[in-house]
Amino acid sequence: MYHRRLSEEVEAALSALDAVDAAVAADARVVWSDLLDHSAREWPTQASVQQYCWRILREQYPSPERRWEMALVLARLLDRLGQPRYADIARGDTSRTLLYAEGASRWWSLYREALEQAGVQPADTDLVTWHEHPRPNELRIAQRIADTLEVVAVVGDLSINGLSRLSPKARRRRMTDAVLVTEDATGHALIDRIVDERLAQWSGESTARARLCGGLGSAVHVGDQPPVEVVRRLRGLLEIIGEGTDLTEDGYLPGPVVIELANRIWPGRFTDRAPFEQSIEPVLALRRLVMRLRLLRKYRGRLIPTVRAREVTDDTLSQLLVAELIRDDGGIGAAVGDVVLGRIVRDAAIGDEWGIARAARELVRSGVRADDFRVAEVEADDGDYRAELPTVHALIAELVALGAVDDTGRTTAGGTALASAALRYRLLHADIGS
């Protein structure tokens, strides 16, 4: 009955428009159908009207004049439906500016600014980065958040839980996260539903990625951060470096620091090695990883902590490791990471670097488009994967140094937790399958 009542209401409004101008009524029927196609419900909300008038119309109609004409038609229909606030969005100066904006970069800047000022768009947070074109389940969750934000925007009462003291952007982030961790009717957090949706998107990208994603569902639902043992090694290096240490002329850690680090993290393992960083690969890999995480940097022949390192806690160190373990370069670095993490979660040996390189090449090639920048870095598949091997070896060396993988290439308990968390992060933040 609810759906039928809405349909009758819209039909009555369209009939009224048709009595005045048949062409306008025909356009109104089109824009209403399109608007609902981009809404998660049978009735639009502020967020869906904004998206339609500020982005979708621009994508659908090449002519700025036609875009604006259709926005005004929508405004007339919304007036007929008793939605003057939404009608004002459709005919407003913001819609006109965005629909007439020249150049994609200028439009994007104005669009992001408009969303921030409107205050009802779910925010990108540490939990999730929203896809520009979400699939149905994710769209429904985003709309649920937008509904909450719209109520706040209309009522204007943000005194609860200290929200009134936050900036508008911080409020949106806080409220977005608050909705995401609530449970649906089945007892699952909404954020886990997005994980499921993204995993389905990844699987549908190609046969190669479908093979990678098979059986990962339960693993990526694990939200725990890596165990203390994995993070402890990063913390141990930071503590030994302290306020800084001089490097050798070749740019390596000095012998005494290498010995102290090896004895502290791998007691008794490297007593037969020369006290040089180059001769103890886990030490070298760990130091390079910490630099890649922007926790240490070289300065005038010294290795010193960054501002990020001075502020990091064990919790944020875990989050940083999960977020930046894999290079999100959209190319072979990310593909190698996805293949290795998938193998770790399945408790498969990862000593076969050649096989990992081959799988990573296949993964990248399967997602290549003719106009994609990645074409240049993925040549014809001739069975020679030596170009990928350094990337594979560097990642495995880092995982060994962290204690996520042992010397035989087998996964440790810490490695499984780290890989699960890193894959979950990739699903929620990487731009794959969007």
Side-chain angles (χ1 to χ4, degrees):
M1 290 297 293
Y2 181 66
H3 294 181
R4 188 166 64 87
R5 182 182 67 81
L6 289 178
S7 177
E8 290 174 353
E9 186 176 355
V10 173
E11 288 295 341
L14 290 170
S15 296
L17 286 176
D18 186 59
V20 177
D21 190 323
V24 169
D27 285 345
R29 190 175 295 276
V30 171
V31 295
W32 184 257
S33 177
D34 288 346
L35 175 60
L36 292 189
D37 283 345
H38 293 89
S39 301
R41 304 172 190 268
E42 293 76 16
W43 195 263
T45 62
Q46 179 177 336
S48 62
V49 171
Q50 289 172 179
Q51 285 287 330
Y52 185 71
C53 293
W54 298 351
R55 178 173 63 84
I56 304 301
L57 281 176
R58 185 182 177 91
E59 295 173 353
Q60 289 183 338
Y61 298 96
S63 167
E65 290 77 16
R66 182 57 173 162
R67 300 168 190 163
W68 179 236
E69 183 181 4
M70 296 299 273
L72 293 178
V73 166
L74 177 60
R76 291 181 63 176
L77 178 58
L78 289 169
D79 278 331
R80 293 275 183 179
L81 293 170
Q83 298 289 337
R85 193 164 66 85
Y86 293 169
D88 287 343
I89 293 173
R91 66 166 65 91
D93 291 340
T94 299
S95 292
R96 182 181 178 87
T97 299
L98 288 167
L99 294 177
Y100 275 91
E102 295 183 1
S105 60
R106 173 168 170 72
W107 169 81
W108 179 251
S109 176
L110 292 172
Y111 174 69
R112 298 300 296 177
E113 181 180 349
L115 289 179
E116 289 293 331
Q117 292 179 350
V120 300
Q121 201 69 20
D124 290 343
T125 75
D126 291 339
L127 287 182
V128 67
T129 299
W130 297 98
H131 281 174
E132 186 175 350
H133 299 285
R135 294 179 72 178
N137 288 335
E138 183 174 332
L139 178 60
R140 280 190 285 271
I141 293 172
Q143 192 64 65
R144 180 169 172 176
I145 298 169
D147 290 347
T148 303
L149 293 169
E150 182 175 352
V151 169
V152 172
V154 174
V155 175
D157 183 7
L158 294 171
S159 60
I160 301 175
N161 296 328
L163 288 177
S164 61
R165 296 190 298 272
L166 300 176
S167 68
K169 185 174 183 178
R171 292 173 193 165
R172 285 199 303 124
R173 290 174 60 88
R174 176 79 65 82
M175 296 182 72
T176 296
D177 283 348
V179 176
L180 285 173
V181 298
T182 60
E183 296 181 350
D184 60 15
T186 65
H188 293 88
L190 295 180
I191 188 68
D192 283 328
R193 292 307 183 201
I194 295 179
V195 170
D196 291 338
E197 187 93 322
R198 299 281 179 88
L199 191 60
Q201 281 182 281
W202 276 30
S203 298
E205 186 195 42
S206 66
T207 302
R209 193 163 286 279
R211 287 198 299 268
L212 172 68
C213 294
L216 294 181
S218 59
V220 294
H221 276 210
V222 177
D224 295 336
Q225 296 293 341
V228 175
E229 179 64 21
V230 174
V231 176
R232 184 184 68 82
R233 301 191 178 197
L234 296 176
R235 175 63 72 185
L237 176 55
L238 292 176
E239 290 175 351
I240 289 173
I241 297 301
E243 293 301 310
T245 185
D246 292 331
L247 296 171
T248 66
E249 291 184 0
D250 294 332
Y252 292 100
L253 291 174
V257 174
V258 172
I259 294 173
E260 182 180 2
L261 183 61
N263 288 338
R264 177 170 176 173
I265 298 180
W266 302 279
R269 275 197 55 192
F270 300 110
T271 55
D272 60 335
R273 304 283 182 88
F276 303 119
E277 190 180 19
Q278 307 95 302
S279 67
I280 306 179
E281 186 177 35
V283 173
L284 180 61
L286 189 65
R287 192 261 296 173
R288 286 177 171 172
L289 172 61
V290 172
M291 293 186 69
R292 182 161 68 81
L293 297 177
R294 301 189 303 283
L295 296 169
L296 295 175
R297 66 186 181 92
K298 292 181 179 180
Y299 179 73
R300 294 185 176 180
R302 287 176 58 80
L303 191 65
I304 61 174
T306 63
V307 174
R308 172 185 272 194
R310 297 180 189 280
E311 298 174 348
V312 76
T313 66
D314 283 351
D315 286 341
T316 56
L317 193 57
S318 291
Q319 296 165 8
L320 182 63
L321 180 61
V322 167
E324 300 188 19
L325 176 66
I326 303 305
R327 294 174 175 84
D328 191 12
D329 58 3
I332 203 66
V336 166
D338 289 341
V339 171
V340 170
L341 294 180
R343 292 192 176 197
I344 289 177
V345 168
R346 295 186 182 86
D347 196 27
I350 61 172
D352 178 17
E353 295 188 4
W354 200 267
I356 292 171
R358 181 176 63 252
R361 172 89 69 89
E362 180 183 0
L363 195 60
V364 175
R365 285 180 59 83
S366 69
V368 165
R369 300 185 302 272
D371 60 345
D372 200 307
F373 75 94
R374 291 177 293 183
V375 171
E377 69 177 89
V378 185
E379 300 174 353
D381 192 351
D382 56 5
D384 186 345
Y385 309 103
R386 275 174 286 194
E388 290 82 9
L389 287 178
T391 304
V392 175
H393 183 80
L395 177 57
I396 293 177
E398 290 175 351
L399 292 169
V400 171
L402 288 169
V405 176
D406 63 24
D407 291 337
T408 68
R410 302 301 305 186
T411 302
T412 66
T416 301
L418 174 59
S420 297
L423 274 175
R424 179 184 176 90
Y425 184 91
R426 293 267 296 144
L427 283 164
L428 289 169
H429 294 280
D431 186 21
I432 295 181
S434 62

